[in-house]
Every structure is written in structure tokens, then in C-alpha cells.
Amino acid sequence: MTESLTLGDRLRVARKTRKLSAAQLATKVAISPSYVQKLESGARKATPSLILALANALHFGPEVLTGQPYYGEPEAEDGVHAVVPELRRVLLCYDSPDDLDVPPRSLPVLASEIDQVSALRRDARYAPMGPLLPGIIAELTHVALSATGEEKAKAFWHLARAYRAVNSLAHKLGHHDLSNTALERVRWAADRSGDPLLQVTAGYLVAGAMLRQGAYASARRKLVGLRAELERLQPERSYTADALAVDGALLLKLAVTESRANDPDTASEYLREAEEVARMAGGRDSLAYEMSFGPTNIRIHNVHALIDVGDTEQALARLREWAPAGVREWEPPAATVGERSSHHHIDVAGAKLAVGDRSGAFGELQRARKIAPNHTRFHPSVRETVSTLLRLETHPSNELASFGNWAGISAN
């Protein structure tokens, strides 16, 4: 089974469900009625911020417009959703876990497996990661609840990382209720780890969820408060390398918040401040606290912010400006974590489609698929870009039609 409904189709149904005309909906989100009609016909592609604005105006969750979670042929091949019921169970029983058939393995062994899970999460390899999570979480929970002293704190520290992986998987696949539950479990475990930076990281993840729901003011207050807490933890701003990475990640999330709120000037200020923090950290890309902060991620966020406010031409100009000699456009280095790099190519695909570069847009999607196929296959923006490309091509190439089938999009 392939997906036949587009975001425009779902928008039209949602608008009629709420008994609103195109003009009435346009007034609520400060765009023109013709723009609403173009969105519904597929002639224009909505940015993430516009999708949130439309969903909020219609009093629906954004997943109603994006159609998540996606099943059909992608799920039949990857099976990534199959682990979700078991994850719901272990997260529900977080403080009273089921009995284990055998005693849990030692904490060093479990910690090594969490390192593997975290690497899979960063590279958006959800299909191999998902089945590992329920068992590891169950064992870590037993260890954390029964241990004492330093071992107890370490067990909760690694348990928070496992819950973070659940949050990523659930969010990317469109199971937003499970994602939110996982965030609460991250906070619960982080508070018991005794690690202040992990507690700030947990708050950062919660702010990201607020942002995804269009709660810009709440996300902004959360992030600003976390930065104040970080400064309190690091006297006289004598930040450690880890604290700099966490602070930089907070600044990048603030930049996204302001771009989503259509304040490009403030977003640019946060990006400049993030660049200064990166210089203080030695100008290197870092994975401290799994934050993926550094010059590469700053550039990715710079492009993302421009695309978010609709300045696609400037975003593409930046890629040409940053390109090394003999290369047409800058792209993240090969060492960049898969989730970040694939997300960049997905964003750029939408930008290129917006300026009429169909072949360039498809090329970006192909790069994203090569880097992180699970992430690409289930990303709402990919599905909308592929749907638009298929609609615009009178006779889609076999390559494009095959990509559409792979993503669960019919060429008919």
C-alpha cells in the first residue's frame, strides 16, 4: 500500500472539518487565501513553522497534517514500528518493572550497549536500534533501582541515554505521545543521576518538544532559563568543554526557536553567539552529551534558519559561499553524525524545490537516503517533496518513481 494523500489533501480535509473557508484559515495564520489554495493543491510546500501555524489554527496536532505515523510498504520492509508497543510497556513500568527471567548483566556491559545504541541514534539507524531498547531499558531499570551509591547514579545516567534514544525513535516515526513520555523518563533518570549537565540536557530535549508543538514562548523561556542555570553551575563562566558544548546546543535551539517565530534578526544573533562559543571550545565538532555541537552544526542551523523564514535563495547562496575550491556547494563532512547530515540534505531539497531546481532537490533526497535511510524514509518533508516532484513531472523517471515507491508515495 502506498500513501496517496498529501499534506494539501489533509489540510483541505482538516479545514472543512473545522468548517472554515480558505479565506478564514488564511486570516488566522496571516497568509493570503490564494496561498492556502496553493498549499492544498500542492503548488506550494509548507515550511515546518507554517505547518505548525496551520495545525494550531485548526486545533489539530501537526501529525494530522503530516499524516504521521506512516505505515504501508515502508513499515512492511523496515518493521521499525513493531517495537513501539513494547516500548510503551517498559516506559509505563519505569518505577515498577516486570521481573526478569535472568539477573541483569553488569553495569559496564549495559553501558557498552548504551554506547552502541547512542551511536545508532546519532546516525538515525532506527531499524537496528529499536529492538535493542526494551531489553536494555528493563535491565538498566533493575540495576538502577537496586544499586546504591555511585553505581546507582551511573545506572540512572545511562538509563537517561536509553530513554533519549526512545524519544528520538518515537519522534522521528511520528509516535508523539510516546516521545513525550520518553522525555519525562529522561528527566526522571537525569534527576537521579546527580549530573547537572545531564539535567540541563534533559531540559533542552523538552524545549525541543515544545518547539515542535509551536509553543515558541514556552521553548524560549525554557532555553533561556537553562542557560542561566548553566551559568550558575559554572562560576565566572569558566566553562568546561562539556559545558561549552551544552551551551552551544542551547544557543542553536534558541536560533531555531526565533526562526520558527519569524524573527530572523534574533535568530542570527544566537547563531553568532554560538560561533563564539565554538571558538572558545577550540573550533572543533563535539559529541559531548550527544549534542553534536561545533562549526558544522552551526552551518547546518544557519541554513535551516534561513529556510525556516522563507529565505531559500539566501540559504542556497550560503552553501555556494562556503564551498571549498572546485566544489559547487558546501555539505556536511563525512564524519558528521547521520541524523544531522541527512536532515541538512532534506532541508536543502525543499529549498531547491522552492526555487524550481527539481533535479537538485531529488539529488539532495538521494544523498539523505544514502546517509540515513530510516530517517529519510519516514520524514514528513521528504514525503511532501517527493509527492511534489512526482506531480510536477509528466513522465517521472524510473529513478524518481522508484524512490517514491520506497518512501511509500504512489506515482499515480
Tab-separated table of all heavy atoms in Angstrom, residues 351-376:
chain	number	residue	atom	x	y	z
A	351	ALA	N	14.405	23.477	-0.180
A	351	ALA	CA	14.805	24.810	-0.646
A	351	ALA	C	15.023	24.819	-2.158
A	351	ALA	O	14.597	25.749	-2.861
A	351	ALA	CB	16.073	25.258	0.078
A	352	LYS	N	15.661	23.790	-2.662
A	352	LYS	CA	15.908	23.727	-4.106
A	352	LYS	C	14.604	23.552	-4.882
A	352	LYS	O	14.431	24.142	-5.960
A	352	LYS	CB	16.890	22.598	-4.423
A	352	LYS	CG	18.312	22.917	-3.972
A	352	LYS	CD	19.320	21.877	-4.439
A	352	LYS	CE	20.737	22.324	-4.079
A	352	LYS	NZ	21.770	21.369	-4.530
A	353	LEU	N	13.694	22.790	-4.341
A	353	LEU	CA	12.396	22.650	-4.992
A	353	LEU	C	11.677	23.994	-5.028
A	353	LEU	O	11.034	24.333	-6.028
A	353	LEU	CB	11.553	21.615	-4.250
A	353	LEU	CG	10.151	21.355	-4.809
A	353	LEU	CD1	10.228	20.852	-6.258
A	353	LEU	CD2	9.407	20.353	-3.946
A	354	ALA	N	11.810	24.777	-3.956
A	354	ALA	CA	11.135	26.077	-3.880
A	354	ALA	C	11.626	27.042	-4.949
A	354	ALA	O	10.868	27.906	-5.409
A	354	ALA	CB	11.326	26.685	-2.494
A	355	VAL	N	12.895	26.916	-5.369
A	355	VAL	CA	13.419	27.810	-6.408
A	355	VAL	C	13.359	27.167	-7.790
A	355	VAL	O	13.921	27.695	-8.753
A	355	VAL	CB	14.867	28.251	-6.083
A	355	VAL	CG1	14.904	29.018	-4.769
A	355	VAL	CG2	15.835	27.067	-6.064
A	356	GLY	N	12.693	26.009	-7.884
A	356	GLY	CA	12.480	25.393	-9.196
A	356	GLY	C	13.551	24.430	-9.651
A	356	GLY	O	13.525	23.969	-10.799
A	357	ASP	N	14.498	24.090	-8.764
A	357	ASP	CA	15.575	23.165	-9.129
A	357	ASP	C	15.143	21.741	-8.781
A	357	ASP	O	15.496	21.195	-7.729
A	357	ASP	CB	16.852	23.550	-8.376
A	357	ASP	CG	18.047	22.673	-8.759
A	357	ASP	OD1	17.884	21.786	-9.630
A	357	ASP	OD2	19.132	22.870	-8.173
A	358	ARG	N	14.383	21.110	-9.667
A	358	ARG	CA	13.833	19.781	-9.381
A	358	ARG	C	14.920	18.710	-9.296
A	358	ARG	O	14.901	17.879	-8.397
A	358	ARG	CB	12.814	19.398	-10.454
A	358	ARG	CG	11.624	20.335	-10.554
A	358	ARG	CD	10.672	19.837	-11.636
A	358	ARG	NE	9.735	20.871	-12.045
A	358	ARG	CZ	8.894	20.740	-13.055
A	358	ARG	NH1	8.863	19.614	-13.748
A	358	ARG	NH2	8.072	21.732	-13.377
A	359	SER	N	15.849	18.736	-10.246
A	359	SER	CA	16.897	17.715	-10.234
A	359	SER	C	17.782	17.874	-9.006
A	359	SER	O	18.214	16.886	-8.398
A	359	SER	CB	17.736	17.780	-11.516
A	359	SER	OG	18.416	19.027	-11.604
A	360	GLY	N	18.058	19.135	-8.636
A	360	GLY	CA	18.853	19.382	-7.435
A	360	GLY	C	18.138	18.896	-6.193
A	360	GLY	O	18.757	18.322	-5.291
A	361	ALA	N	16.810	19.120	-6.126
A	361	ALA	CA	16.029	18.663	-4.976
A	361	ALA	C	16.086	17.143	-4.859
A	361	ALA	O	16.295	16.595	-3.765
A	361	ALA	CB	14.586	19.132	-5.106
A	362	PHE	N	15.921	16.454	-5.982
A	362	PHE	CA	15.951	14.997	-5.941
A	362	PHE	C	17.336	14.489	-5.564
A	362	PHE	O	17.488	13.525	-4.807
A	362	PHE	CB	15.512	14.421	-7.286
A	362	PHE	CG	15.432	12.917	-7.302
A	362	PHE	CD1	14.837	12.220	-6.257
A	362	PHE	CD2	15.947	12.200	-8.371
A	362	PHE	CE1	14.759	10.829	-6.285
A	362	PHE	CE2	15.873	10.820	-8.402
A	362	PHE	CZ	15.285	10.127	-7.349
A	363	GLY	N	18.366	15.175	-6.049
A	363	GLY	CA	19.730	14.795	-5.693
A	363	GLY	C	19.973	14.887	-4.197
A	363	GLY	O	20.641	14.019	-3.606
A	364	GLU	N	19.428	15.924	-3.560
A	364	GLU	CA	19.582	16.063	-2.111
A	364	GLU	C	18.867	14.936	-1.373
A	364	GLU	O	19.372	14.405	-0.376
A	364	GLU	CB	19.036	17.415	-1.651
A	364	GLU	CG	19.770	18.626	-2.189
A	364	GLU	CD	21.194	18.746	-1.663
A	364	GLU	OE1	21.485	18.171	-0.587
A	364	GLU	OE2	22.021	19.414	-2.318
A	365	LEU	N	17.685	14.555	-1.855
A	365	LEU	CA	16.971	13.446	-1.215
A	365	LEU	C	17.753	12.141	-1.346
A	365	LEU	O	17.777	11.322	-0.418
A	365	LEU	CB	15.582	13.283	-1.838
A	365	LEU	CG	14.586	14.416	-1.610
A	365	LEU	CD1	13.245	14.049	-2.238
A	365	LEU	CD2	14.407	14.709	-0.123
A	366	GLN	N	18.365	11.957	-2.484
A	366	GLN	CA	19.166	10.739	-2.674
A	366	GLN	C	20.366	10.719	-1.729
A	366	GLN	O	20.729	9.661	-1.189
A	366	GLN	CB	19.640	10.646	-4.124
A	366	GLN	CG	18.512	10.356	-5.113
A	366	GLN	CD	18.980	10.423	-6.551
A	366	GLN	OE1	19.539	11.437	-6.986
A	366	GLN	NE2	18.767	9.344	-7.293
A	367	ARG	N	20.984	11.884	-1.503
A	367	ARG	CA	22.101	11.954	-0.554
A	367	ARG	C	21.622	11.636	0.856
A	367	ARG	O	22.284	10.916	1.603
A	367	ARG	CB	22.744	13.341	-0.597
A	367	ARG	CG	23.454	13.656	-1.911
A	367	ARG	CD	24.119	15.029	-1.886
A	367	ARG	NE	24.665	15.366	-3.187
A	367	ARG	CZ	24.003	16.074	-4.108
A	367	ARG	NH1	22.787	16.527	-3.843
A	367	ARG	NH2	24.555	16.324	-5.274
A	368	ALA	N	20.463	12.201	1.222
A	368	ALA	CA	19.915	11.934	2.553
A	368	ALA	C	19.642	10.449	2.740
A	368	ALA	O	19.942	9.873	3.792
A	368	ALA	CB	18.630	12.741	2.756
A	369	ARG	N	19.090	9.821	1.709
A	369	ARG	CA	18.784	8.381	1.795
A	369	ARG	C	20.050	7.559	1.964
A	369	ARG	O	20.076	6.601	2.760
A	369	ARG	CB	18.030	7.939	0.537
A	369	ARG	CG	17.750	6.438	0.496
A	369	ARG	CD	17.027	6.047	-0.783
A	369	ARG	NE	16.822	4.605	-0.855
A	369	ARG	CZ	16.173	3.990	-1.836
A	369	ARG	NH1	15.639	4.708	-2.825
A	369	ARG	NH2	16.028	2.674	-1.835
A	370	LYS	N	21.096	7.923	1.268
A	370	LYS	CA	22.352	7.181	1.364
A	370	LYS	C	22.944	7.282	2.764
A	370	LYS	O	23.499	6.314	3.300
A	370	LYS	CB	23.351	7.718	0.329
A	370	LYS	CG	24.669	6.968	0.299
A	370	LYS	CD	25.574	7.508	-0.802
A	370	LYS	CE	26.897	6.745	-0.840
A	370	LYS	NZ	27.796	7.261	-1.914
A	371	ILE	N	22.799	8.461	3.389
A	371	ILE	CA	23.377	8.690	4.716
A	371	ILE	C	22.552	8.034	5.809
A	371	ILE	O	23.087	7.371	6.706
A	371	ILE	CB	23.501	10.205	4.980
A	371	ILE	CG1	24.526	10.825	4.022
A	371	ILE	CG2	23.885	10.479	6.439
A	371	ILE	CD1	24.451	12.333	3.965
A	372	ALA	N	21.232	8.232	5.783
A	372	ALA	CA	20.364	7.746	6.866
A	372	ALA	C	19.016	7.320	6.286
A	372	ALA	O	18.047	8.076	6.311
A	372	ALA	CB	20.172	8.830	7.921
A	373	PRO	N	18.939	6.113	5.741
A	373	PRO	CA	17.704	5.695	5.063
A	373	PRO	C	16.471	5.667	5.961
A	373	PRO	O	15.388	6.065	5.525
A	373	PRO	CB	18.038	4.294	4.531
A	373	PRO	CG	19.269	3.858	5.263
A	373	PRO	CD	20.003	5.110	5.617
A	374	ASN	N	16.596	5.210	7.214
A	374	ASN	CA	15.428	5.177	8.102
A	374	ASN	C	14.885	6.578	8.346
A	374	ASN	O	13.670	6.813	8.295
A	374	ASN	CB	15.775	4.546	9.448
A	374	ASN	CG	16.069	3.068	9.372
A	374	ASN	OD1	16.789	2.534	10.206
A	374	ASN	ND2	15.531	2.376	8.368
A	375	HIS	N	15.780	7.516	8.618
A	375	HIS	CA	15.374	8.903	8.859
A	375	HIS	C	14.694	9.488	7.631
A	375	HIS	O	13.631	10.121	7.725
A	375	HIS	CB	16.615	9.732	9.230
A	375	HIS	CG	16.322	11.141	9.585
A	375	HIS	ND1	17.201	12.171	9.345
A	375	HIS	CD2	15.244	11.715	10.168
A	375	HIS	CE1	16.677	13.306	9.776
A	375	HIS	NE2	15.494	13.062	10.269
A	376	THR	N	15.294	9.277	6.467
A	376	THR	CA	14.780	9.847	5.232
A	376	THR	C	13.418	9.265	4.878
A	376	THR	O	12.491	9.982	4.489
A	376	THR	CB	15.782	9.596	4.090
A	376	THR	OG1	17.058	10.135	4.461
A	376	THR	CG2	15.314	10.234	2.798
